[in-house]
Amino acid sequence: MNEVLQAIYDRRSVRAFKPQQVKEDDLTLILEAGRQAPSAKNGQPWHFTVVQRKSLSDRIGAAAKEAYAKDPEFAKKSPWMLKPEFNLLYGAPTVVWVSGEASNPNAQGDCGIAVENMAIAAHSLGLNSCIIISALPAFATKNGPTFIKDLGIPEGFKPMYAFALGYTAAPLPAPAPRKEDCVNYVR
Ligand SMILES: Cc1cc2nc3c(=O)[nH]c(=O)nc-3n(C[C@H](O)[C@H](O)[C@H](O)COP(=O)(O)O)c2cc1C
């Protein structure tokens, strides 16, 4: 199998990270893989914010948890996520926020493609990652505008995906099961 397919097939989401920081050269290559993603009408409706200030990532994760805790249904559905030790951003030493242009109707999809490019690139470089949307409610809390400012997200953009990046602190998980029955052919 060629290396591209191998990387696509072998990539796993990881949810525990070593404190060891990502090498600057690797980070640059991963961000470039994001920038090289295709986008509708080549709109490139994205902005990437690299956060290597763990205190900020921890505050954003905690704010999202507080938002979830207000919903009694959430506590029933996903109680583990409300445990004090659960970190929504998994303590990753680097978190890249991928923000999309709010006025571009394709931003969600385009940013999703960019973040997956980054996940595959990270895997190809021996790094591990997790794409995360569960921290987004942090931006709808009273501290949301402060987080946007702290992250330096430009006017007119909104955070769409967090990309937790680093080195896994645990053995890679077994592949998550894939649906088999999701292809039909018309020939
Ligand atoms: C758009 C998107 C959002 C995701 N959000 C989260 C998340 O909030 N928390 C999390 O732990 N994993 C998240 N994941 C990771 C998925 O749970 C994971 O991709 C899926 O279970 C398949 O596992 P794999 O990535 O190891 O193949 C997300 C993945 C995608 C593509």
Side-chain angles (χ1 to χ4, degrees):
M1 194 183 309
N2 73 47
E3 286 178 17
V4 176
L5 289 176
Q6 197 73 57
I8 291 171
Y9 292 176
D10 290 351
R11 179 211 53 79
R12 299 271 75 84
S13 296
V14 312
R15 297 182 173 84
F17 290 89
K18 291 181 185 166
Q20 183 186 348
Q21 191 50 278
V22 176
K23 292 188 197 83
E24 204 61 27
D25 288 355
D26 287 347
L27 180 60
T28 303
L29 292 170
I30 291 164
L31 291 165
E32 187 55 25
R35 289 181 57 242
Q36 289 299 331
S39 58
K41 298 182 192 162
N42 198 24
Q44 304 175 52
W46 44 56
H47 179 85
F48 304 90
T49 303
V50 179
V51 182
Q52 295 185 326
R53 192 185 300 158
K54 205 170 159 295
S55 58
L56 176 57
S57 296
D58 288 349
R59 274 190 288 131
I60 294 174
K65 266 171 81 172
E66 277 170 35
Y68 287 130
K70 289 186 180 147
D71 174 3
E73 287 307 307
F74 188 89
K76 278 189 230 156
K77 239 175 30 197
S78 309
W80 73 92
M81 281 177 70
L82 299 180
K83 289 192 173 159
E85 65 276 16
F86 185 78
N87 183 331
L88 280 174
L89 294 165
Y90 302 118
T94 294
V95 176
V96 182
W97 285 93
V98 183
S99 301
E101 233 175 279
S103 61
N104 185 319
N106 302 307
Q108 190 86 42
D110 290 343
C111 290
I113 293 168
V115 79
E116 172 62 353
N117 262 15
M118 289 161 58
I120 296 163
H123 178 83
S124 78
L125 294 165
L127 283 146
N128 305 104
S129 69
C130 190
I131 298 168
I132 297 171
I133 52 166
S134 59
L136 291 174
F139 298 101
T141 65
K142 67 175 185 341
N143 290 326
T146 310
F147 292 143
I148 297 280
K149 194 162 156 278
D150 291 347
L151 290 170
I153 293 174
E155 187 76 33
F157 284 76
K158 62 175 188 177
M160 293 189 166
Y161 302 95
F163 179 68
L165 178 66
Y167 298 91
T168 187
L172 281 186
R178 259 42 182 188
K179 288 201 276 185
E180 298 287 344
D181 185 19
C182 60
V183 181
N184 76 308
Y185 297 86
V186 180
R187 286 171 168 156

